C-alpha cells in the first residue's frame, strides 16, 4: 500500500503472477531468495524484514 502498487503491478515488477503475490500476502507461500531479494529492493527493506518468524 505504501508504494501504491496493485497486486498486478507488483507481480509485473517481480515477474510473477498476481496469484503468487496474493499467496504471499496471505502467508500461504514462502518466496524464493531471489523473489525475496526483488521484493526487498522494491520496498527498501532488508530481506529478513519480509519474513515473520513469530518474533517481536
Amino acid at each position: 500500500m505504501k508504494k501504491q502498487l496493485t497486486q498486478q503491478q507488483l507481480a509485473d515488477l517481480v515477474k510473477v503472477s498476481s496469484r503468487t503475490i496474493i499467496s504471499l500476502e496471505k502467508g500461504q507461500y514462502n518466496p524464493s531468495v531471489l523473489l525475496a531479494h526483488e521484493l526487498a529492493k522494491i520496498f527498501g527493506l532488508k530481506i529478513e524484514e519480509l519474513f515473520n518468524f513469530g518474533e517481536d
Side-chain angles (χ1 to χ4, degrees):
M1 285 187 208
K2 286 182 183 180
K3 293 284 185 179
Q4 296 185 353
L5 294 170
T6 66
Q7 291 168 329
Q8 186 61 57
Q9 290 169 326
L10 180 57
D12 291 343
L13 284 173
V14 294
K15 298 176 178 57
V16 299
S17 71
S18 60
R19 189 77 199 136
T20 298
I21 300 300
I22 292 166
S23 293
L24 285 169
E25 289 179 348
K26 290 182 177 182
Q28 298 171 339
Y29 175 75
N30 290 318
S32 68
V33 173
L34 293 175
L35 177 53
H37 176 72
E38 290 300 315
L39 290 169
K41 284 193 322 188
I42 289 169
F43 293 110
L45 301 169
K46 295 178 185 177
I47 289 177
E48 58 268 17
E49 293 177 286
L50 294 176
F51 297 93
N52 179 0
F53 296 108
E55 301 170 2
D56 289 329

